[in-house]
Amino acid sequence: MAESIGNSGKGMKLHTKILLGLGLGATLGVLANTLLGSGHPAVQNINTYVAGPIGQIFLRLLFMIVIPLVFASIALGVAGLGDIRRIGRVGGKAIGYFLVSTAVAATLGLIVVSFVRPGERIDAATRTRLLETYATDAASRVEAAQTSSFGIETLVNIVTRNPFKSAVDLDLLGLIFFAFMFGAALTLIAAHRAKPMIQFLEAVNDVVIKIVEIAMKLAPYGVAGLIFGVTSRLGINILQLLAWYVVAVLGALIFHVVVNISLIIRFLVGMSPLKFFSRIRSALVTAFSTSSSSATLPTALATAEQNLGIPPSIAGFVLPLGSTMCMNGTALFEGMTVITLAQAFGVDLSLGQMVVVMIMSVLTAVGAAGVPGGSIPLLVGILFMFNIPPEGIALILGVDRILDMARTTVNVCGDLSATAFVARSEGVWNASMVPAVAGLDTSAPSLDDSPGWPKEPVAVDPVG
Ligand code: ASP
């Protein structure tokens, strides 16, 4: 494996560096705030000329790729589904399961975050300062609130009149719709005509993933700059929010596996959840250690076939598709992050807007690449859509590694439950066919084997 995002070259892992950046930026920021005060000229100058610009450059690198990434990954995903017509019912069931389970996960996340309210776990004075510091001008806020309220126009507006305008305005729903249409139309034209466009989109996809990789190299500095900006202005209080947020997201992810997926395995698959989890353990451990659904695909396939006895015809179709399309953990995480930051920045979201957040979380989770941090650029896009200052991403990026490991594990768990569900409902497999002895060693792979970002993104070939 070439140098990967998980390993930034000279020994220290990138995520360790990001954590160090967070720690250093936060400590210096809190010190500056308590010793000098946020209004001190030195603190202001550091924010204006050093910390601010570094943080902004990092954020802009992520923003830069939102549009090509969303378009290419969704158009390609839909174009890849073209072959589903050949596979028919199995494909329909798999996609249905992906969407429903992802929507359930996202809804769970929204319920938990509405109860725990991590974004409001800061005192009133800090909140007021947060709002003053990051308030965008009132007019644009009102306009955004109006355009993102949920109504019949929301549905009509999804059908964009001008995909370029949607792209320029970062109107993700419009763009996603266009990408769906584009991908669907690609499956309807002659294969030899579609091929060059698909290859072009694959290349675009590879290029944007490369840019994410480059941007992430800047992340330790960007995160340090951004968090310095936040803590030097707001003091230590803001870090409480972070602790609540991490606990809430991890709690919701665990709940989704222990309750939702277990219920599915028990009642729709007809298998003991404990046995299911123990049989898929090596895939879960691989997902946890690599933070990449794509990199976990080979282990997930081996697990499904050798440890659960699921026929390769089903596993070989559902798992590759699921590794990029079915991201329960990612959707749950995205929804919770958007709402936490909205709470913190005082952006009031109505119930209708929460529904839009849920839908966006599901759609962007489908569009996210199965690589470490694959959902971050899309998350930045959703924040923009709801007029939530993207600086908030600084707060969460510092702790994202652990959340990424956890949500990827849930993503892979979802993929495997989808495979078992489809196999069972097709009548080609049931729990009694689980081999008495697991074929694949279920011991944990060494963390040193962690491939990090796959050099070549794993292509999704539903019929391959
Ligand atoms: N790392 C996740 C995965 O590969 C994607 C993400 O949520 O960033 O499944």
Side-chain angles (χ1 to χ4, degrees):
M1 179 70 48
E3 188 191 341
S4 71
I5 191 118
N7 203 335
S8 61
K10 300 192 197 68
M12 198 191 287
K13 298 252 190 214
L14 179 62
H15 54 90
T16 316
K17 280 190 174 180
I18 298 181
L19 205 60
L20 274 181
L22 177 86
L24 196 69
T27 313
L28 292 178
V30 170
L31 283 178
N33 181 276
T34 30
L35 299 180
L36 302 173
S38 55
H40 192 282
V43 178
Q44 284 184 342
N45 282 338
I46 294 178
N47 272 326
T48 314
Y49 297 110
V50 187
I54 295 176
Q56 286 305 325
I57 289 173
F58 168 62
L59 282 180
R60 280 165 179 260
L61 280 171
L62 289 179
F63 262 131
M64 188 160 90
I65 49 165
V66 170
I67 296 300
L69 178 65
V70 169
F71 180 72
S73 71
I74 292 195
L76 269 179
V78 177
L81 296 183
D83 294 310
I84 274 192
R85 276 171 297 155
R86 269 195 272 154
I87 300 167
R89 211 181 44 220
V90 180
K93 267 185 203 166
I95 308 282
Y97 183 94
F98 295 165
L99 291 178
V100 171
S101 63
T102 309
V104 167
T107 309
L108 168 71
L110 295 186
I111 294 173
V112 172
V113 81
S114 305
F115 277 106
V116 180
R117 302 198 153 274
E120 292 173 11
R121 304 270 173 178
I122 38 178
D123 57 44
T126 311
R127 165 92 44 75
T128 317
R129 260 179 294 151
L130 186 68
L131 298 187
E132 280 165 10
T133 314
Y134 293 105
T136 41
D137 65 307
S140 73
R141 205 172 265 263
V142 171
E143 194 191 322
Q146 277 165 355
T147 51
S148 54
S149 66
F150 194 69
I152 188 71
E153 324 81 80
T154 319
L155 292 179
V156 175
N157 288 339
I158 291 175
V159 184
T160 176
R161 222 185 328 213
N162 179 348
F164 292 99
K165 184 160 188 321
S166 295
V168 170
D169 295 344
L170 227 64
D171 159 23
L172 289 190
L173 273 179
L175 191 74
I176 288 174
F177 183 82
F178 178 65
F180 263 101
M181 293 292 289
F182 198 90
L186 271 177
T187 68
L188 299 173
I189 62 175
H192 70 281
R193 307 282 280 184
K195 200 165 167 225
M197 179 50 88
I198 291 179
Q199 283 172 336
F200 170 75
L201 290 174
E202 278 167 353
V204 171
N205 216 17
D206 289 1
V207 167
V208 287
I209 287 181
K210 199 74 196 166
I211 298 179
V212 180
E213 199 175 316
I214 297 169
M216 290 310 278
K217 293 217 164 102
L218 253 189
Y221 313 99
V223 165
L226 291 167
I227 199 80
F228 179 86
V230 174
T231 47
S232 66
R233 292 178 180 120
L234 305 167
I236 199 162
N237 267 316
I238 191 80
L239 299 178
Q240 281 174 16
L241 175 156
L242 203 59
W244 278 100
Y245 161 76
V246 171
V247 171
V249 175
L250 291 179
L253 285 172
I254 293 172
F255 187 94
H256 182 65
V257 171
V258 172
V259 178
N260 296 350
I261 295 189
S262 291
L263 284 175
I264 290 171
I265 295 299
R266 161 75 66 210
F267 294 106
L268 297 182
V269 175
M271 183 174 172
S272 142
L274 274 184
K275 184 163 186 195
F276 177 79
F277 293 130
S278 118
R279 284 304 171 92
I280 65 167
R281 206 165 56 211
S282 39
L284 299 185
V285 174
T286 311
F288 190 76
S289 54
T290 60
S291 292
S292 166
S293 302
S294 297
T296 309
L297 182 57
T299 319
L301 275 168
T303 310
E305 292 170 17
Q306 296 175 31
N307 293 4
L308 295 173
I310 294 177
S313 59
I314 298 283
F317 165 65
V318 179
L319 280 173
L321 206 56
S323 71
T324 57
M325 282 189 73
C326 180
M327 295 208 177
N328 292 358
T330 294
L332 181 153
F333 152 81
E334 287 186 339
M336 290 187 79
T337 307
V338 172
I339 303 298
T340 301
L341 294 176
Q343 288 164 351
F345 287 105
V347 178
D348 267 333
L349 298 180
S350 64
L351 194 65
Q353 286 173 313
M354 295 273 256
V355 174
V356 180
V357 172
M358 196 275 279
I359 295 172
M360 289 306 296
S361 303
V362 173
L363 291 178
T364 52
V366 171
V371 295
S375 52
I376 298 297
L378 298 155
L379 186 60
V380 172
I382 312 186
L383 293 179
F384 186 88
M385 177 175 168
F386 287 96
N387 211 24
I388 300 165
E391 277 79 4
I393 211 88
L395 285 172
I396 62 121
L397 260 193
V399 291
D400 190 51
R401 179 66 187 188
I402 180 67
L403 297 185
D404 199 2
M405 293 165 88
R407 69 180 179 260
T408 307
T409 309
V410 177
N411 290 344
V412 169
C413 194
D415 299 343
L416 283 159
S417 66
T419 314
F421 167 77
V422 173
R424 163 82 198 267
S425 70
E426 281 296 295
V428 294
W429 174 87
N430 62 48
S432 67
M433 292 161 75
V434 175
V437 182
L440 181 76
D441 181 14
T442 47
S443 59
S446 148
L447 280 184
D448 296 340
D449 298 338
S450 159
W453 283 67
K455 192 171 161 226
E456 306 282 348
V458 181
V460 181
D461 180 2
V463 283

